[in-house]
Amino acid sequence: MALAGAFFFGFVPMFVFAAFVNWLDRYEKEPKALLGATFIWGVVIAGGGAFILNTAFGMGIYAFTGSESAAEFGTTSIVAPIIEEALKGLAVLVVFFLFRKEFDSILDGIVYGSIAAMGFAAIENVLYIYRNGYQDNCWEGFWLLVFIRVFLVGWMHPFFTAFTGIGLAVARTSRNMLVKIIAVPAGYTVAVLLHAFHNTFSSVIGGAG
C-alpha cells in the first residue's frame, strides 16, 4: 500500500508538471515520443546511475575519513549535484546532437532539461517518500514527505537542469564562437551550484529540525 502510494505521488505529479511544461511550448510542440524518451532517461539512466554513483562515492568518502557526517556532507552537497546534473544533462545533450531540428530555441532547452529532470525527480521521490517517509515514521512520515517533495520542492530538479538546457540552447543559437564554447559549461555550472545550495540548505534545516 505505502509503496504503491509512493509510486503514485512520485510519478503522477511529475506527469502533470511535464504536461504543463509541454503546454508552455505553445507554437512549436516537441515530439511526444522524444519527450517520453527524455523522461524515461531521467528515470532509468539518471535516477539509477545517480543512486549507484552517489552510494559508491559516499562509501568511499566514509572509508577515507571514517566520518559519517563528512560522508553525508560530501555526498549531499558536492558529489550528488555534480553527478545528478551531469546525468540529467546528458539526456539534453543527446537531443542536442541527434535531434538538432527539434532543438532550436531557449524554450526547447528549458523543456528538454525540465522533462529529463522530472523523470529523475519522479523516481527519487518514490525513494524518499517510501524510505525516508513511510519506513522512518509510518504514515505521518509518508504524508510529510509527499508534502515536501511534491508541493514544497517539486520544481527543484526541473529548475536546476533547465539551466543546462539553456546553456545548450544558447550554444545552438548563438553565432559567436566564444559564447558557444562558454554557454554549455556555464549552464551546467549554474545547475550544479543551485543544486548544491539547495542540498546544503536542506541539510542544515533538516539537522536543525
Side-chain angles (χ1 to χ4, degrees):
M1 181 73 172
L3 183 58
F7 270 95
F8 177 86
F9 285 106
F11 277 84
V12 172
M14 292 304 137
F15 291 152
V16 174
F17 292 173
F20 174 73
V21 169
N22 184 51
W23 174 82
L24 290 176
D25 194 4
R26 305 289 292 276
Y27 302 107
E28 188 184 347
K29 293 291 187 183
E30 306 308 311
K32 287 185 172 59
L34 189 54
L35 293 176
T38 304
F39 187 93
I40 292 170
W41 178 293
V43 175
V44 179
I45 305 298
F51 180 80
I52 294 169
L53 292 173
N54 288 345
T55 301
F57 274 99
M59 293 172 63
I61 295 171
Y62 178 76
F64 183 74
T65 63
S67 169
E68 288 187 10
S69 59
E72 177 70 20
F73 175 80
T75 303
T76 302
S77 297
I78 300 173
V79 172
I82 293 171
I83 289 174
E84 291 173 12
E85 293 310 320
L87 291 174
K88 289 183 290 177
L90 278 175
V92 193
L93 192 65
V94 169
V95 177
F96 177 84
F97 280 118
L98 299 184
F99 303 92
R100 292 181 67 83
K101 291 183 179 179
E102 305 298 341
F103 198 103
D104 56 6
S105 72
I106 299 297
L107 183 57
D108 288 347
I110 293 173
V111 168
Y112 286 111
S114 298
I115 296 296
M118 287 171 191
F120 178 89
I123 194 64
E124 186 181 66
N125 285 350
V126 172
L127 179 65
Y128 272 81
I129 291 168
Y130 184 72
R131 183 192 66 187
N132 298 64
Y134 181 76
Q135 288 189 331
D136 282 358
N137 293 294
C138 295
W139 287 106
E140 180 181 354
F142 178 95
W143 291 114
L144 176 62
L145 263 294
V146 168
F147 172 74
I148 292 173
R149 299 292 301 187
V150 176
F151 297 101
L152 194 60
V153 296
W155 285 94
M156 62 171 181
H157 279 295
F159 176 69
F160 303 151
T161 314
F163 284 95
T164 301
I166 290 170
L168 284 163
V170 170
R172 172 76 171 84
T173 57
S174 176
R175 296 182 178 180
N176 187 307
M177 185 55 64
L178 182 61
V179 171
K180 286 179 175 292
I181 294 171
I182 293 175
V184 177
Y188 170 71
T189 299
V190 172
V192 170
L193 291 176
L194 288 170
H195 196 153
F197 173 79
H198 171 272
N199 283 9
T200 302
F201 183 75
S202 299
S203 296
V204 171
I205 295 299

